[in-house]
């Protein structure tokens, strides 16, 4: 399996995206991550396991506290992959803009 597939699969869920957004602000415990959601701790833990398998988070160990932290590397890989398509769309819009200017120029010439 390629490296991006598990990342995209993990990011496909809005709960997991919300967890990622929370971890972007800093480390958090499972209880802290679970607080905004109406789901059980085991359900949140399942989401965390998916994120961990995708390499998006890591879990530390500090005595009884097991903080979760964001691992941004896979997100950079996604951004790099998307960047290729952003350039494609920009080039497409540039061609469309040129075409529209050409049409407008011809219309002005025809009106004169």
């Amino acid at each position: 399996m390629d490296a991006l597939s598990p990342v995209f699969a993990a990011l496909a869920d809005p709960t997991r995206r919300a967890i990622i957004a929370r971890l972007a602000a800093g480390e958090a415990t499972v209880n802290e991550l679970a607080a905004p959601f109406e789901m059980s701790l085991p359900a949140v833990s399942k989401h965390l396991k998916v994120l961990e398998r995708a390499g998006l988070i890591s879990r530390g160990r500090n005595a009884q506290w097991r903080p979760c932290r964001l691992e941004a590397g896979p997100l950079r890989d996604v951004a790099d992959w998307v960047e290729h398509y952003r350039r494609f769309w920009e080039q497409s819009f540039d061609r469309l803009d040129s075409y529209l200017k050409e049409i407008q120029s011809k219309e002005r010439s025809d009106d004169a």
Side-chain angles (χ1 to χ4, degrees):
M1 180 184 294
D2 68 289
L4 286 178
S5 291
V7 176
F8 279 120
L11 294 174
D13 185 274
T15 300
R16 292 192 287 265
R17 290 193 305 271
I19 290 170
I20 291 291
R22 166 54 188 88
L23 290 175
E27 293 182 350
T29 65
V30 174
N31 286 335
E32 291 168 336
L33 293 171
F37 304 108
E38 293 183 16
M39 64 178 68
S40 67
L41 283 177
V44 172
S45 289
K46 286 182 181 180
H47 284 294
L48 294 175
K49 286 178 185 169
V50 171
L51 292 169
E52 197 170 20
R53 280 194 304 268
L56 290 164
I57 69 166
S58 62
R59 295 199 234 191
R61 214 167 266 202
N62 188 354
Q64 296 294 328
W65 192 56
R66 292 199 65 204
C68 296
R69 71 182 56 83
L70 178 65
E71 297 294 338
L75 293 175
R76 187 178 332 107
D77 296 341
V78 168
D80 291 345
W81 183 82
V82 170
E83 175 66 18
H84 170 75
Y85 295 96
R86 184 188 64 78
R87 286 192 302 261
F88 166 80
W89 283 109
E90 282 181 352
Q91 291 169 355
S92 295
F93 288 135
D94 288 345
R95 286 192 303 273
L96 178 60
D97 188 49
S98 295
Y99 177 70
L100 292 173
K101 285 178 182 174
E102 182 181 318
I103 289 174
Q104 289 172 342
S105 177
K106 285 181 182 178
E107 286 176 351
R108 280 188 224 116
S109 296
D110 291 345
D111 291 344

